Amino acid sequence: IAAIKSLHITKVTRKQYESLQKTMFAWWMQHRPNIRMRQVGAKCIGFENLADVTMDDFEKMVYSSCKKTNGDGSFVKHPVTNKPMLIAFDSICNYRKAMFNLFTEAKERPSDVFSDRMKLFYKGLKRQDAKEKQEGARASLEGKHAMPLSVYAKLQEEFFKAGKFYELAYTSLTWHLMCRTDNTGHLTLKHLSTICDCLVVEFNVTKMDKEGDTLRNLRRCFSNPYHWQLDVIFCLGCYLTTVPELARNNCPLLFPGEQDSQKKRYQEALSAMLRTPDMIIFLAALGYKPSDFGAHSLRKGCATYVTSGSTGGPSIVAVCQRAGWSM
């Protein structure tokens, strides 16, 4: 029963929360030694009484722990005010989630005053983030770029020439399914089927639908007979014919190995390929550098391409259903 209850958040999310909570606990132990902490051995695992946690302290903890730094460890400062700047707003939001997770795990509810002040604090942070972007102190686009179709095609050529068929299939499926890379890593052979002339892929769980309510939203992938680099059937076929151990030992995974490790494995392979001499030259000619792209760039790139690559593309409803976005 305890194991079932723990599934209200995923293992990856839980690890992220624990990492952030570790930073939070360290701040409280240093700046508020009078607050009692729950410890297992030398490890701090929470507060003895969450009522001792004030919003004033949380605000100070965020400002102290979320300052943006340069490569040498110095703080990034606003070009006009010369005050230290904070990291991206989306990253700061993770501290709020980690804080409320403490209440959830302790089976307690934060006070209305605490929740209301949290909303006001984050509203101010969001407006400050937008203001800094407007002033040019912060880049308008934070995070990785959407991958253009030309870069995707070139990447597939390089993977094929290097005989990296795992990466070839992983890239193609992630692009065509417009999904997150961990969804690709969790695919099994049972999730693949055919309807007429297309490959059909099912997702049982996604980030936005962890209960499987949209189980029957099938994703259809069609062959591209004009450009082999863009043909998901060809790329998947190259992979399937070179991995004879598939389905052995009753393992149904399309990409054998630990599911949670596939995302990291692919990210490392993608990063290495983007930094090869040929790719660096190719990207530079387009005004990009290898660090502009990551695994999530495929999802961004596909969504961008289907909505802007043609005057008669798919409807926004179809795109949102494909990507698993709320409307």
Side-chain angles (χ1 to χ4, degrees):
I1 292 174
I4 292 173
K5 287 181 177 179
S6 70
L7 293 176
H8 68 92
I9 58 175
T10 64
K11 291 181 180 179
V12 174
T13 302
R14 190 179 298 279
K15 286 182 180 179
Q16 291 174 344
Y17 286 165
E18 289 176 351
S19 176
L20 295 171
Q21 288 162 0
K22 183 178 179 181
T23 301
M24 293 163 56
F25 297 153
W27 186 91
W28 255 279
M29 293 177 71
Q30 179 180 355
H31 296 88
R32 298 291 183 268
N34 58 310
I35 293 182
R36 293 172 299 163
M37 311 295 288
R38 286 195 297 120
Q39 292 184 297
V40 176
K43 181 181 179 182
C44 180
I45 61 172
F47 300 96
E48 285 288 351
N49 185 4
L50 279 168
D52 293 337
V53 180
T54 66
M55 193 58 206
D56 286 334
D57 283 346
F58 181 82
E59 292 167 358
K60 293 174 182 176
M61 182 278 301
V62 167
Y63 189 76
S64 173
S65 305
C66 298
K67 290 178 181 176
K68 197 173 183 180
T69 57
N70 295 303
D72 59 0
S74 60
F75 292 130
V76 175
K77 295 187 178 180
H78 194 286
V80 178
T81 63
N82 204 35
K83 293 181 178 179
M85 295 176 61
L86 299 179
I87 58 178
F89 174 75
D90 289 344
S91 298
I92 301 178
C93 284
N94 291 327
Y95 281 89
R96 174 173 56 183
K97 297 175 184 177
M99 185 70 240
F100 282 122
N101 174 254
L102 291 174
F103 284 96
T104 301
E105 297 295 338
K107 300 179 178 61
E108 297 182 23
R109 293 186 61 183
S111 67
D112 292 340
V113 173
F114 188 91
S115 297
D116 291 343
R117 285 196 57 183
M118 182 75 79
K119 290 179 183 177
L120 290 175
F121 178 55
Y122 271 83
K123 187 173 184 178
L125 286 173
K126 189 173 184 179
R127 290 192 173 186
Q128 176 177 290
D129 187 83
K131 184 173 180 289
E132 289 173 348
K133 289 178 180 177
Q134 179 65 29
E135 295 170 343
R138 186 185 295 273
S140 297
L141 175 66
E142 293 187 281
K144 300 299 183 181
H145 290 253
M147 185 176 290
L149 181 69
S150 57
V151 175
Y152 163 63
K154 177 65 174 177
L155 195 62
Q156 291 295 75
E157 285 186 23
E158 295 301 314
F159 279 140
F160 182 78
K161 287 194 296 184
K164 297 182 178 295
F165 300 126
Y166 163 87
E167 292 81 356
L168 186 76
Y170 206 104
T171 303
S172 188
L173 284 169
T174 303
W175 175 278
H176 282 82
L177 296 173
M178 208 183 296
C179 64
R180 298 172 178 84
T181 51
D182 51 349
N183 289 131
T184 308
H186 291 169
L187 286 175
T188 70
L189 296 172
K190 294 181 180 180
H191 292 144
L192 308 181
S193 60
T194 58
I195 294 180
C196 296
D197 62 342
C198 67
L199 170 72
V200 178
V201 182
E202 294 183 34
F203 282 147
N204 291 346
V205 176
T206 64
K207 181 179 179 181
M208 300 304 293
D209 180 24
K210 293 184 173 64
E211 288 78 33
D213 293 331
T214 58
L215 175 63
R216 297 307 301 170
N217 283 353
L218 304 178
R219 289 164 169 79
R220 292 169 169 80
C221 301
F222 293 85
S223 181
N224 186 328
Y226 302 103
H227 303 282
W228 66 264
Q229 306 95 321
L230 311 180
D231 190 345
V232 63
I233 308 298
F234 173 78
C235 295
L236 182 60
C238 289
Y239 170 72
L240 293 174
T241 55
T242 54
V243 188
E245 65 269 22
L246 281 178
R248 287 185 180 176
N249 301 320
N250 296 319
C251 177
L253 293 175
L254 178 60
F255 301 104
E258 292 190 19
Q259 288 180 313
D260 293 337
S261 68
Q262 296 301 320
K263 179 179 178 180
K264 182 179 180 182
R265 174 187 174 187
Y266 175 71
Q267 286 176 330
E268 291 174 349
L270 176 63
S271 178
M273 181 57 73
L274 288 170
R275 285 166 172 76
T276 58
D278 287 346
M279 283 302 300
I280 290 176
I281 295 173
F282 180 82
L283 293 175
L286 297 176
Y288 294 110
K289 53 184 183 295
S291 59
D292 289 336
F293 300 111
H296 201 62
S297 296
L298 292 165
R299 176 171 161 87
K300 289 182 177 180
C302 180
T304 301
Y305 181 70
V306 298
T307 53
S308 60
S310 168
T311 57
S315 68
I316 190 62
V317 174
V319 175
C320 287
Q321 287 182 334
R322 183 76 159 200
W325 289 328
S326 170
M327 290 182 289

